[in-house]
């Protein structure tokens, strides 16, 4: 049996590592300085839905940071991002079309409401606080993602 030689894309690996460290540090900073959890659904939801008085400035700053980071990378020549296993290709229009992407985003929004948070809130912040609820939520996200990939790739026959 011959083994296919696998190559590790160290640039992408290091970018992921640095990005993960920065996400962790920002979550610790937000918790340490403001006592807030860096869950995106909570930050956005409370900015646009509940609007607590005097609580908007840090939320707007946080969201501007999320948007400005990728814009800065693009301005420095980083492009739109590489597609996995295809360094010459960049992320472009969604494969299923914009309407499908909007429907998927809407469903994710409903899910974050039902799950009392999103993957960043539960996975990064909740697990670090040893929250049992966040552990169950994160395991649910993971198992659902595994099942979805299996169904799309092996049952339906789509995907890469």
């Amino acid at each position: 049996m011959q083994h296919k030689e696998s190559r590790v894309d160290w640039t992408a690996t290091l970018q992921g590592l640095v990005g993960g460290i920065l996400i962790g540090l920002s979550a610790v900073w937000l918790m340490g300085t403001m006592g807030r959890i860096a869950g995106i659904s909570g930050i956005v939801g409370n900015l646009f839905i509940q609007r607590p008085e005097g609580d908007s400035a840090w939320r707007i700053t946080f969201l501007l940071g999320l948007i400005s980071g990728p814009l800065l990378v693009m301005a420095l020549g980083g492009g739109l991002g590489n597609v996995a296993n295809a360094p010459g290709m960049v992320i472009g229009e969604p494969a299923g079309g914009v309407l499908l992407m909007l429907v998927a985003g809407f469903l994710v929004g409903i899910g974050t409401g039902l799950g009392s948070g999103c993957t960043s809130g539960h996975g990064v912040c909740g697990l670090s606080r040893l929250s049992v609820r966040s552990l169950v939520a994160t395991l649910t996200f993971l198992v659902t993602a595994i099942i979805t990939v299996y169904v799309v790739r092996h049952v339906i026959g789509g995907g890469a």
Side-chain angles (χ1 to χ4, degrees), residues 23-124:
I23 289 170
L25 288 174
S26 68
V28 167
W29 178 80
L30 192 60
M31 178 61 83
T33 59
M34 302 191 71
R36 303 293 187 163
I37 295 172
I40 304 305
S41 61
I43 291 170
V44 173
N46 288 329
L47 178 62
F48 294 111
I49 297 170
Q50 293 181 356
R51 295 186 177 175
E53 191 172 319
D55 195 43
S56 296
W58 75 268
R59 295 174 191 278
I60 292 169
T61 304
F62 191 92
L63 292 174
L64 287 174
L66 285 177
I67 295 166
S68 66
L71 293 175
L72 179 62
V73 168
M74 289 181 355
L76 294 174
L80 295 173
N82 289 335
V83 176
N85 297 325
M89 296 179 65
V90 295
I91 298 171
E93 186 176 328
V98 175
L99 181 61
L100 181 62
M101 182 180 69
L102 291 173
V103 170
F106 179 73
L107 292 174
V108 167
I110 291 173
T112 62
L114 293 173
S116 300
C118 58
T119 54
S120 62
H122 286 297
V124 174

